[in-house]
Amino acid sequence: MEDTDGIREELGLVQIYTGNGKGKTTAAFGLAMRAAGRGLGVLIVQFLKPSDGYGEQVACNRMGNITLVSMGLDHFVSKKPSDADIEAAHKALRRSEELICSGRYDVAVLDESINAVRLGLITSQELIESLERRPDHVEIVLTGRGMTPDLEEYADLVTEMRLVKHPFDKGIGARKGIEY
């Protein structure tokens, strides 16, 4: 059995995976799997993805030791979000704070939370204020395009995925098991 108390003493940072390149969610889920493998409580809240249709959701349901909560509606949010989109993002923010503060989790991934900020569904200040209320030991991972300067300043680690080349450019669409 892993000594999770010793591991928890080193947690509490905020990480951001951002940029126009592929791999933000993939990197966050890799970290989540690593943490779960070490016996840590892992929470993943998906801000913009619906509750079915994504391979990572299927995998987490099979694992049983990662809690995944998908709060997105059944459509992609456009540049002009609806009131329902805004309410769903605020609901995701409230739910993530409630779960993070429950004491059950050591690592929390807020997938697409930065996109929610970029699209104007929530503000970066609302996100930061919510994270400030978490227990000190909870490690946070935020993903999405369009990181704001205040989120960059708030974070302890920022990794930017840079798009160099993508199969979409050759007309290859999203593939099940690879992009979703």
Side-chain angles (χ1 to χ4, degrees):
M1 183 69 174
E2 192 74 38
D3 174 20
T4 54
D5 289 338
I7 295 172
R8 284 184 184 100
E9 291 173 10
E10 297 181 7
L11 299 179
L13 301 181
V14 175
Q15 301 185 31
I16 291 178
Y17 302 146
T18 191
N20 289 326
K22 183 180 179 325
K24 296 172 288 293
T25 295
T26 303
F29 273 77
L31 183 147
M33 287 185 59
R34 182 179 294 137
R38 295 291 185 185
L40 298 173
V42 178
L43 169 68
I44 301 168
V45 177
Q46 294 185 306
F47 273 63
L48 301 178
K49 294 176 181 170
S51 61
D52 62 352
Y54 291 88
E56 64 263 25
Q57 296 164 342
V58 174
C60 287
N61 288 338
R62 289 180 180 167
M63 291 177 66
N65 59 342
I66 296 176
T67 300
L68 187 142
V69 180
S70 299
M71 303 288 294
L73 302 178
D74 63 353
H75 61 274
F76 287 106
V77 179
S78 68
K79 291 181 182 178
K80 291 192 172 201
S82 69
D83 290 343
D85 294 325
I86 294 167
E87 177 53 36
H90 278 93
K91 187 175 178 182
L93 185 62
R94 288 189 302 270
R95 183 70 175 137
S96 65
E97 182 178 332
E98 173 187 306
L99 289 168
I100 289 167
C101 291
S102 72
R104 297 191 325 241
Y105 302 104
D106 304 300
V107 174
V109 174
L110 304 186
D111 189 37
E112 307 288 358
S113 58
I114 294 176
N115 281 338
V117 170
R118 177 179 54 84
L119 292 165
L121 305 176
I122 59 174
T123 68
S124 56
Q125 195 57 42
E126 288 173 316
L127 180 55
I128 290 168
E129 287 172 4
S130 176
L131 296 176
E132 284 292 305
R133 292 187 276 273
R134 76 185 189 279
D136 290 339
H137 82 280
V138 178
E139 189 90 2
I140 300 292
V141 180
L142 308 175
T143 71
R145 290 177 169 85
M147 174 185 60
T148 61
D150 52 340
L151 284 171
E152 181 177 358
E153 183 178 325
Y154 182 69
D156 299 290
L157 176 147
V158 176
T159 296
E160 184 173 1
M161 276 60 164
R162 184 175 66 90
L163 178 63
V164 175
K165 186 177 182 180
H166 200 291
F168 287 173
D169 299 335
K170 294 193 278 185
I172 299 171
R175 298 164 297 153
K176 196 179 269 191
I178 304 299
E179 279 82 29
Y180 69 97

